[in-house]
Amino acid sequence: MPLDDFSSDQDMRAMLQRQRAAHDMAGAPTAGERIDRLERAIDVLVTNRKAFNEAMNADYGHRSADAGDLTDIAASIGALKHAKANVRKWMRPERRKSQAPLGLLGASSRVENQPKGVVGIVSPWNFPVNLTFSPLAGIFAAGNRAMVKPSEFTEATSELMRETIAAAFDETELAVFPGGPERGAAFTSLPFDHLIFTGATSIARHVMRAAADNLVPLTLELGGKSPVILGRSANFEKAAKRIMAGKTLNAGQICLAPDYAFAPNDKLDEFVGHAKASVEAMYPSGLKDNDDYTSIVNQRHYDRLQSYVTDAREKGAEIVELNPTGDDFSQQQHYKIPPTLVLNPTDEMTVMQDEIFGPILPIKTYQETSEAVSYINQNDRPLGLYYFGADAREEREVLRMTTSGGVTVNDVIMHVGQEDLPFGGIGPSGMGSYHGYEGFLEFTHRKAVYRQTGSELVKMIRPPYGNTFRKQMNAQIKK
């Protein structure tokens, strides 16, 4: 059955109405009810771990099950467990000071954390399980209900999520609506209480326009060209291992993958040598038939990535293919691409214009670190930035002079795995942030509650105004 036949757009709108009605009738869920939802989400992942990895493998042609355990299953469970452990603390009202002298007379102020209601989730194909369940940690902890529109590129995984979630949750708590682009457009046009979209910046513009019609608050988790700066003080062997591990994980199909790197001009050959050695160490038996090395998701993205390499070669870049056993990738069942370095690229090359989202790493060179910083600042603010080095002053200057969604120092990507750190972009790389406490806050309405004093001294702010009122105003209106 085609995904778009699963349900009509009217069914999605009706489900939103049902979820909101259930939320309004029940009110904010207790801590116990929120924990129950989090535990059921964990159980879906634990129980169906193998099935999810098999579905993702089918969708990709080949996807590493071990990497899937790391990035989709364990990472999602970690987020859900973190929320479960902290939700009671996060829910507590926060006392605030009341304006003097009202506070002295018995007035009180507090902030209550109230669920927003129904949150829409548009999840992508690159980590289809994690980028559905990880947002649910904050959404459920905040006391909301949710509707999910997963990617049409991972059809088997989307259908499995629909089935397993339907078995574990009442549809007024959580419902999944697979489908294609038209379904996605209809989904993002619904009047949710909040919408989180993870995907391409180009699509996010359409999502934002659709959400604007209903004034739906948005969390946009996008991407962009996340740079690496290799300082002269870096351990280049260790840096190459970590950069290439990040670039080959999920075959580089990660919004936070290092998109391009800056190396000192006298250290380029050293880095290339260590990059080759690191790929050989990770994939000693080769890449083409290696279960640890993931395919590109489909023909369209495979052709796109190949075009980047062809364009760079034709425009004069040096291409270094990291292919330890010399596999013939022209003869393969799936869409695998070996890790490829593009040395000394120019801005006229498409590989330096578009987010790569694949195992291709352009490497530019610099004489002074300030050149790398200046280049980064001339382009869109990235989702991630990575600095390698042992020079504390240089590190501080790189962080001070650049703006990015987040930073990992002496590694790549890893800040996203820290549940106590917010994850999000800035500008074209995103809007809003989630994970951990920030995720709880993102999907929470912070409601101000003020309780008035019983004293009738407050009558002084009511007409008729007199000298006492004016003295109070004069006391307040001064430097």
Side-chain angles (χ1 to χ4, degrees), residues 77 92 132 230 243:
I77 291 172
R92 293 174 191 154
T132 297
L230 288 151
I243 291 168

Side-chain angles (χ1 to χ4, degrees), residues 59-61 125 153 253 295-307 329-330 332-337:
D59 287 326
Y60 272 72
W125 54 265
F153 285 173
Q253 297 166 110
S295 301
I296 304 304
V297 69
N298 57 29
Q299 179 79 53
R300 179 167 73 86
H301 284 283
Y302 177 83
D303 292 343
R304 176 182 61 81
L305 292 166
Q306 294 284 30
S307 75
F329 284 88
S330 67
Q332 60 169 316
Q333 184 179 359
H334 308 302
Y335 301 119
K336 289 190 175 183
I337 293 177

Side-chain angles (χ1 to χ4, degrees), residues 122-170:
V122 181
S123 56
W125 54 265
N126 61 322
F127 296 109
V129 176
N130 175 267
L131 293 172
T132 297
F133 282 84
S134 184
L136 282 173
I139 290 167
F140 281 160
N144 301 290
R145 297 159 191 262
M147 293 169 56
V148 179
K149 163 59 181 75
S151 174
E152 66 272 18
F153 285 173
T154 46
E155 184 173 338
T157 308
S158 296
E159 179 59 23
L160 181 62
M161 280 199 292
R162 185 189 69 79
E163 293 172 359
T164 55
I165 284 173
F169 289 89
D170 186 273

Side-chain angles (χ1 to χ4, degrees), residues 51 85 105 195 281 310 474:
L105 297 172
L195 179 65
T310 300
N474 290 336

Side-chain angles (χ1 to χ4, degrees), residues 274-297:
H274 288 309
K276 288 180 179 178
S278 70
V279 172
E280 290 171 1
M282 287 188 290
Y283 308 101
S285 63
L287 295 159
K288 189 174 75 170
D289 299 316
N290 193 321
D291 285 344
D292 290 339
Y293 195 63
T294 292
S295 301
I296 304 304
V297 69

Side-chain angles (χ1 to χ4, degrees), residues 250-452:
N250 206 38
Q253 297 166 110
I254 306 174
C255 60
L256 277 169
D259 196 275
Y260 65 98
F262 273 99
N265 49 15
D266 57 345
K267 296 276 191 177
L268 178 60
D269 290 343
E270 180 182 348
F271 177 79
V272 171
H274 288 309
K276 288 180 179 178
S278 70
V279 172
E280 290 171 1
M282 287 188 290
Y283 308 101
S285 63
L287 295 159
K288 189 174 75 170
D289 299 316
N290 193 321
D291 285 344
D292 290 339
Y293 195 63
T294 292
S295 301
I296 304 304
V297 69
N298 57 29
Q299 179 79 53
R300 179 167 73 86
H301 284 283
Y302 177 83
D303 292 343
R304 176 182 61 81
L305 292 166
Q306 294 284 30
S307 75
Y308 291 162
V309 177
T310 300
D311 175 76
R313 182 181 285 113
E314 291 175 349
K315 291 176 179 173
E318 181 183 351
I319 307 300
V320 180
E321 188 176 279
L322 307 182
N323 187 354
T325 56
D327 294 331
D328 181 2
F329 284 88
S330 67
Q331 303 290 323
Q332 60 169 316
Q333 184 179 359
H334 308 302
Y335 301 119
K336 289 190 175 183
I337 293 177
T340 303
L341 306 180
V342 179
L343 307 185
N344 295 308
T346 64
D347 289 350
E348 290 71 36
M349 299 173 185
T350 53
V351 76
M352 292 303 297
Q353 297 169 6
D354 304 330
E355 182 181 6
I356 295 170
F357 228 70
I360 302 167
L361 181 66
I363 307 176
K364 298 175 73 69
T365 58
Y366 69 86
Q367 180 67 36
E368 301 291 339
T369 311
S370 59
E371 298 168 29
V373 169
S374 177
Y375 183 90
I376 292 166
N377 287 339
Q378 289 169 19
N379 292 280
D380 289 341
R381 289 172 171 173
L383 182 59
L385 183 141
Y386 311 116
Y387 170 78
F388 287 82
D391 185 332
R393 179 179 294 182
E394 182 178 71
E395 175 190 326
R396 187 65 254 159
E397 193 67 4
V398 168
L399 296 185
R400 187 180 75 86
M401 295 300 296
T402 60
T403 302
S404 61
V407 175
T408 293
V409 176
N410 288 326
D411 207 337
V412 297
I413 302 173
M414 293 297 290
H415 63 280
V416 74
Q418 314 311 306
E419 280 302 319
D420 253 351
L421 288 178
F423 171 62
I426 181 169
S429 64
M431 176 188 300
S433 61
Y434 70 111
H435 285 201
Y437 183 53
E438 279 74 20
F440 172 83
L441 293 179
E442 186 80 351
F443 305 115
T444 292
H445 170 56
R446 301 273 281 167
K447 183 166 68 175
V449 179
Y450 172 75
R451 181 182 296 278
Q452 184 60 285

Side-chain angles (χ1 to χ4, degrees), residues 22 41 56-57 151 167 178 225 295:
M56 289 186 285
N57 184 67
S151 174
K225 299 185 76 63
S295 301

